[in-house]
Amino acid sequence: VMKYLCMVYCEESKLAALSQADYDKLVAEHGVLNEALQKSGHYITAHALEPVRTAKIVRVRNGKLSATDGPFAETKEQLAGVYLIDARDLDDALRVAGRIPAVRMGTVEIRPVMELR
């Protein structure tokens, strides 16, 4: 079993354009998925993120810390949330990522977690 980070990217403008009922339905679908992943043993944690306007970028250059407003890169889609899962292999992780409701509006990037010793 390996850990995989599933990074959920969506266009914030599309999320903001949802009616309250559609937004509430999307949130509820994520809750249902979380319960299913807990039962299947895949779930470690999942979190939605606040809007990108709240993000800060931290850098250290020449020993000096600087913090600037995010996001780091200009893209149409912003990081909206993450799932950290246990999966047997990449194919298993792909199946889990395909069940994330927000994938219908955006994309999910999957990356194996490197175990540091």
Side-chain angles (χ1 to χ4, degrees):
V1 176
M2 288 188 61
K3 289 181 178 60
Y4 288 87
L5 182 64
C6 301
M7 294 168 281
V8 180
Y9 291 90
C10 292
E11 289 184 50
E12 286 183 357
S13 60
K14 287 184 179 180
L15 288 174
L18 291 174
S19 68
Q20 188 63 50
D22 286 341
Y23 181 80
D24 291 345
K25 181 181 176 194
L26 183 64
V27 170
E29 288 178 44
H30 281 274
V32 169
L33 176 63
N34 291 351
E35 288 179 22
L37 294 178
Q38 288 173 9
K39 288 179 183 173
S40 69
H42 288 98
Y43 186 89
I44 296 174
T45 192
H47 298 280
L49 298 176
E50 292 293 336
V52 73
R53 66 180 155 65
T54 66
K56 296 291 183 193
I57 303 300
V58 176
R59 292 181 177 89
V60 175
R61 301 293 185 270
N62 299 318
K64 290 188 178 187
L65 174 73
S66 69
T68 57
D69 291 341
F72 178 76
E74 287 296 321
T75 62
K76 282 189 170 192
E77 295 180 334
Q78 293 80 35
L79 183 60
V82 295
Y83 279 80
L84 182 60
I85 62 169
D86 274 328
R88 290 182 303 281
D89 53 29
L90 181 58
D91 289 336
D92 190 28
L94 290 169
R95 282 189 290 279
V96 170
R99 295 170 56 197
I100 296 173
V103 78
R104 296 189 308 265
M105 302 181 68
T107 58
V108 176
E109 178 183 345
I110 302 170
R111 295 188 52 191
V113 173
M114 182 186 301
E115 297 291 336
L116 300 175
R117 296 172 194 197

